[in-house]
Amino acid sequence: MEYGLHYKLPIYAGGLGVLAGDYIKAAHDLSLPMVALGILWKQDYTEQFIGEDGRPYDVYPDFNFDNVQDTGVTVQVQVRGENVTCKVHKVEQYGNIPLYLLDTNFPGSTHGWMTRRLYGGEEQDRVAAEIILGIGGMRALRALGINVDIYHMNEGHAVFAGFELIKEKMNQRALSFEDAWAETRKEIVFTTHTPVAAGNEIHKHDLLRFMDAYNGLTYEQVKEIGGDPFNMTAAGLSLSHVSNGVSKLHGLTASRMWKNVPKASNIISITNGVHNYTWQDSRIRQAFEQKGDIWAAHMENKKEFAQYIKDKTGSNVNPNALLVGFARRAAPYKRSDLIFRSTEVIEPLLREGKVQLVFSGKAHPKDGMGKDIIQQLVQMDRKYKDSVIFIENYNMEVAHYMIRGCDVWLNNPRRPLEASGTSGMKAAMNGVLNLSVIDGWVGEGLQHRVSGWLINPQHNEKLQEWEQDERDLQELYYVLLNEVIPTYYNDRDLWVEMMRASIDMSRWHFSSHRMIREYYELMYQVTKDIKDGKEEYRYSNVEHALQNPVEEHGQHRFNYYNNQFHHHHQYHRQHHYDH
């Protein structure tokens, strides 16, 4: 649904899109035989700025995509009883495999609303876009003459592609629905990205029928795939041969969440990764590989970021003082306000300029609670002047500066709601030290006082939300006051040693090159073997172990993960792909 390749191609909302962009860059680097499908959004997601009242407001400019190639190919889908023509565009100039983008915004089209705004409009707009992405995407592949072995549906947005594949087999090979479904499952893999209920899309069947999303299938058939009401994630699980969560912890969480879905595929774990050559600063890379002055390279980044902040906000950052960054989608579970919750602790640090906090992020245009969160951050910005900064209109450009120019990257979501989290990986590759709860990717790589700091590793799932918040707050303050601040100001050698450990920990293990190789080894090749009649699974011993975890909870389980993956990491560090 979204791809974040470059801020000059604004067709992404956040981390999900940037991950997809990193993925197709890694595929290009490794010369893998893949293409990608998406939508060319005329107005992007939102340009979000801060009003005089401190509240975010949204602007939707029409973008001219002069950097996108028109293939001359068109396909048609049916929406609300009308034939809808979709143009097919191509993007491959950002070091990525061919990305084909469908579009209904062209002169003479009355259907431009369908691909106008990413995640915008009403429910009908969303379903229309998903028909174009799924059904139109399959028809675009046929029209382009691209033969495909395996289809990878990234999130539930694409599940109507499965409807089209089933319909093709029923029409062209006279298969029954059940046989067509079974054959289709052998060529689809599926990734689910979020354990947050609101992120898993549900539609009423009346709407799907009205929008023509059934694509020739019956109510009973569609209900069997995705239930009633129709759950897009459940449909993805039942249309695929194998599925995955995006970190080891998320794979377990997702397996529990969806265990009651009939005919759901098994959910394994493939941890996300980020594209080193997009996100790691070349000076940091050089200093690390040549054992040069990594602190000097970091300070160059930090001063550049300070100037960027000055130009954008007018605020003055002290490059010699500790700078802590936090950039996320504005959602309550990410707890961007956690560090402010005890004024008597944090205020003296901010008033003295000992700690500087810089925030950025967007809220969904219709998310009033998300906008409340941003408004609270802006109030802190105005209260503490240069010690708290909010940068409006978060995008890939802002992210580039933040994940290179901060000293510490703060990550304190309410567990276990962060499926993976990739901003911390980008920061780690640049020697920016993570200060984080153990959620998502963090439990697989970060070691306390070695490559960053962990907050409250003894997680208790039985605590109420307010109890978990209070416990994490006290632990955050303890680590900040007793470990982070003293190390930064009094032990530069240890800090630099931790920076090197952070880069070493992340540059392969949390890279998109490692990630895509795991997709090939654990999902694509296995699925292709099943499709070709070879009933043999070849999961690695590590993956098998993680699908049969020890029963102990708490730190024992995380130690188990760490031991398994540090061993796996050491193996790959000796054999990793050299760009």
Side-chain angles (χ1 to χ4, degrees):
M1 202 72 149
E2 52 173 304
Y3 288 88
L5 287 166
H6 195 278
Y7 71 91
K8 291 183 179 178
L9 183 65
I11 56 168
Y12 62 92
L16 184 67
V18 174
L19 177 70
D22 284 2
Y23 192 95
I24 65 175
K25 288 175 182 176
H28 176 268
D29 292 345
L30 295 167
S31 300
L32 298 174
M34 297 178 67
V35 297
L37 289 160
I39 290 178
L40 187 65
W41 300 101
K42 182 67 172 176
Q43 295 182 338
D44 189 25
Y45 173 57
T46 176
E47 299 277 288
Q48 195 168 86
F49 302 100
I50 305 301
E52 290 295 323
D53 59 353
R55 192 165 183 82
Y57 66 93
D58 299 284
V59 177
Y60 305 102
D62 286 340
F63 290 97
N64 293 316
F65 294 104
D66 298 330
N67 54 347
V68 171
Q69 174 189 343
D70 186 347
T71 65
V73 171
T74 62
V75 296
Q76 287 195 332
V77 297
Q78 186 165 304
V79 180
R80 297 196 314 200
E82 298 181 20
N83 287 326
V84 177
T85 299
C86 309
K87 297 183 73 169
V88 181
H89 305 270
K90 184 179 182 181
V91 175
E92 56 182 350
Q93 66 267 40
Y94 296 107
N96 58 282
I97 57 169
L99 167 62
Y100 295 98
L101 299 171
L102 282 73
D103 164 35
T104 59
N105 272 293
F106 51 86
S109 172
T110 59
H111 304 113
W113 58 275
M114 298 181 187
T115 59
R116 179 173 294 127
R117 194 176 299 164
L118 173 62
Y119 305 139
E122 304 301 324
E123 195 174 1
Q124 285 194 29
D125 301 69
R126 176 71 70 91
V127 174
E130 288 167 342
I131 290 171
I132 290 168
L133 177 66
I135 297 169
M138 292 302 98
R139 295 176 184 177
L141 289 173
R142 308 296 182 256
L144 291 161
I146 297 172
N147 296 318
V148 175
D149 288 317
I150 303 297
Y151 301 89
H152 182 172
M153 301 192 306
N154 192 40
E155 261 302 347
H157 308 126
V159 298
F160 298 142
F163 290 13
E164 177 73 357
L165 291 170
I166 291 172
K167 181 182 175 182
E168 283 182 344
K169 295 175 180 63
M170 293 172 69
N171 291 346
Q172 296 170 13
R173 296 166 52 189
L175 295 183
S176 68
F177 166 73
E178 289 75 16
D179 289 344
W181 182 6
E183 288 296 305
T184 294
R185 293 189 69 169
K186 293 179 182 179
E187 55 190 9
I188 290 178
V189 301
F190 174 66
T191 300
T192 178
H193 285 268
T194 177
V196 179
N200 293 282
E201 198 174 321
I202 295 174
H203 297 297
K204 293 181 179 179
H205 277 267
D206 287 346
L207 176 65
L208 297 185
R209 188 183 295 109
F210 173 69
M211 297 298 292
D212 290 321
Y214 281 6
N215 196 35
L217 302 183
T218 67
Y219 162 75
E220 289 77 14
Q221 292 166 346
V222 174
K223 177 184 176 183
E224 195 173 351
I225 292 172
D228 187 357
F230 187 83
N231 187 298
M232 302 288 273
T233 304
L237 292 168
S238 66
L239 283 165
S240 55
H241 165 66
V242 62
S243 302
N244 74 289
V246 290
S247 70
K248 302 306 166 189
L249 180 58
H250 177 233
L252 294 170
T253 302
S255 293
R256 296 190 195 107
M257 274 184 71
W258 303 106
K259 64 182 179 181
N260 295 323
V261 174
K263 298 186 179 180
S265 54
N266 289 330
I267 300 174
I268 66 169
S269 300
I270 297 178
T271 302
N272 286 339
V274 300
H275 190 248
N276 303 49
Y277 295 91
T278 295
W279 297 108
Q280 187 181 43
D281 179 70
S282 59
R283 294 163 294 188
I284 291 288
R285 184 185 305 118
Q286 183 177 6
F288 176 82
E289 291 176 350
Q290 299 179 4
K291 296 182 172 54
D293 190 342
I294 205 163
W295 182 255
H298 172 65
M299 285 304 293
E300 287 183 37
N301 278 316
K302 193 173 180 182
K303 289 173 182 176
E304 289 170 6
F305 183 36
Q307 186 59 51
Y308 182 80
I309 290 172
K310 176 72 173 177
D311 295 341
K312 285 282 185 179
T313 70
S315 297
N316 294 296
V317 168
N318 176 5
N320 296 314
L322 180 66
L323 184 60
V324 179
F326 186 109
R328 306 285 192 287
R329 177 171 58 87
Y333 79 88
K334 293 180 185 284
R335 300 189 297 188
S336 58
D337 67 324
L338 186 67
I339 197 169
F340 294 112
R341 291 189 189 177
S342 180
T343 307
E344 61 269 24
V345 175
I346 194 65
E347 187 165 273
L349 299 172
L350 297 174
R351 295 292 187 197
E352 296 167 18
K354 204 167 203 176
V355 173
Q356 303 166 106
L357 302 172
V358 58
F359 295 87
S360 193
K362 286 180 180 176
H364 186 281
K366 292 187 176 182
D367 183 4
M369 189 175 295
K371 291 188 174 183
D372 289 344
I373 291 169
I374 291 178
Q375 189 169 17
Q376 291 166 8
L377 294 175
V378 173
Q379 288 171 353
M380 294 296 104
D381 176 315
R382 294 177 178 180
K383 179 177 181 180
Y384 294 109
K385 305 297 182 185
D386 295 335
S387 291
V388 178
I389 296 138
F390 182 84
I391 303 175
E392 64 183 1
N393 200 35
Y394 186 52
N395 59 18
M396 287 180 72
E397 181 185 42
V398 176
H400 268 283
Y401 282 97
M402 288 193 69
I403 54 93
R404 300 175 184 193
C406 293
D407 298 303
V408 169
W409 197 254
L410 180 60
N411 179 49
N412 48 224
R414 191 176 288 121
R415 291 168 284 182
L417 297 179
E418 190 66 81
S420 178
T422 51
S423 63
M425 299 175 185
K426 297 165 188 156
M429 285 181 180
N430 286 286
V432 175
L433 301 179
N434 278 268
L435 172 58
S436 179
V437 302
I438 300 181
D439 202 8
W441 72 275
V442 175
E444 299 169 34
L446 203 64
Q447 292 178 288
H448 188 67
R449 294 199 70 189
V450 175
S451 51
W453 292 274
L454 298 175
I455 301 168
N456 195 15
Q458 299 291 346
H459 176 52
N460 186 341
E461 295 179 356
K462 296 180 181 179
L463 292 178
Q464 298 293 318
E465 283 189 0
W466 69 268
E467 293 175 307
Q468 182 179 337
D469 288 357
E470 181 61 28
R471 185 168 294 188
D472 288 350
L473 176 65
Q474 296 306 321
E475 180 77 7
L476 168 60
Y477 285 152
Y478 179 85
V479 176
L480 180 66
L481 291 169
N482 294 287
E483 299 191 40
V484 178
I485 292 174
T487 304
Y488 180 82
Y489 286 104
N490 303 325
D491 197 340
R492 179 61 45 76
D493 289 343
L494 176 57
W495 190 280
V496 172
E497 183 180 328
M498 291 178 69
M499 289 175 69
R500 288 190 175 276
S502 173
I503 297 167
D504 189 44
M505 171 270 296
S506 60
R507 65 180 185 143
W508 165 256
H509 190 57
F510 297 107
S511 71
S512 54
H513 287 174
R514 185 274 313 154
M515 171 180 64
I516 202 165
R517 283 189 163 191
E518 288 194 10
Y519 272 103
Y520 262 86
E521 293 169 3
L522 302 176
M523 292 180 75
Y524 299 165
Q525 187 59 51
V526 171
T527 304
K528 188 176 187 304
D529 286 348
I530 296 300
K531 183 182 175 184
D532 293 344
K534 303 174 185 176
E535 299 292 331
E536 179 184 354
Y537 291 78
R538 294 194 306 278
Y539 298 124
S540 69
N541 291 332
V542 172
E543 191 65 25
H544 176 74
L546 288 164
Q547 291 307 303
N548 298 275
V550 291
E551 292 302 316
E552 293 84 11
H553 294 279
Q555 190 63 42
H556 294 296
R557 172 169 284 172
F558 287 113
N559 285 343
Y560 177 78
Y561 292 156
N562 273 321
N563 290 340
Q564 290 286 342
F565 266 81
H566 281 302
H567 173 75
H568 196 45
H569 178 42
Q570 293 300 323
Y571 169 80
H572 278 300
R573 277 179 56 204
Q574 296 170 35
H575 301 86
H576 77 274
Y577 172 76
D578 185 346
H579 185 75

